[in-house]
Amino acid sequence: MRIGELSQRTDTSRRLLRYYEEQGLIVAARAANGYREYDERLVDRVLQIRGLLDAGLPTRIIRQILPCLDTPRTIYFPDATPEMIATLTRERDRMTDRIRCLARNRDAISAYLDAVLAYRPEASGD
């Protein structure tokens, strides 16, 4: 697929897709006419990248953990330094805290919505 279709299917700007390519997060083949050609599997990959970026991970870490998201999974980190492991541990813990916070907020909104919907006074018979 061409960049426009990938952009549309992932709701990601073309500029951002080019940036992901520059960062080594996705790879495009080049057609004979020079246009980028993206594999179908990159739809899920781009959505994963966006989710990880939204969670606050920098692209340098995302690039390293992307192989863990593939199927079949091939995990190989010859450069997994103690600093990298500490960074990943912090990021994982930060995400866990954020998930808890989001779940609390979702539950509070649900409880509020349930209360609002339960309190629907009958329309007066004027």
Side-chain angles (χ1 to χ4, degrees):
M1 84 186 81
R2 301 247 313 265
I3 194 168
E5 183 180 348
L6 183 60
S7 172
Q8 184 177 29
R9 290 180 61 188
T10 60
D11 195 29
T12 304
S13 72
R14 294 172 189 208
R15 182 176 180 201
L16 202 48
L17 292 172
R18 288 185 197 100
Y19 173 75
Y20 294 167
E21 193 174 345
E22 289 171 10
Q23 295 299 307
L25 302 176
I26 61 174
V27 176
R30 291 288 182 163
N33 60 6
Y35 290 161
R36 289 174 170 86
E37 291 288 335
Y38 294 94
D39 188 274
E40 178 70 26
R41 66 185 171 79
L42 289 181
V43 172
D44 287 335
R45 170 58 55 96
V46 169
L47 296 174
Q48 288 175 323
I49 292 167
R50 292 193 57 187
L52 292 168
L53 287 168
D54 288 347
L57 269 82
T59 56
R60 68 180 170 77
I61 293 176
I62 293 171
R63 187 179 323 98
Q64 290 184 309
I65 65 171
L66 279 176
C68 300
L69 304 176
D70 285 338
T71 302
R73 293 181 178 185
T74 303
I75 301 174
Y76 177 68
F77 289 120
D79 58 346
T81 63
E83 294 80 19
M84 173 58 73
I85 292 168
T87 298
L88 291 173
T89 301
R90 276 193 311 277
E91 291 299 327
R92 182 207 53 209
D93 294 346
R94 190 182 61 73
M95 284 181 200
T96 300
D97 292 342
R98 187 170 178 206
I99 290 167
R100 283 190 201 116
C101 180
L102 288 169
R104 277 193 313 270
N105 290 340
R106 181 207 54 218
D107 294 346
I109 289 170
S110 291
Y112 179 79
L113 185 58
D114 290 345
V116 167
L117 293 174
Y119 176 77
R120 295 193 96 149
E122 296 297 317
S124 61
D126 292 334

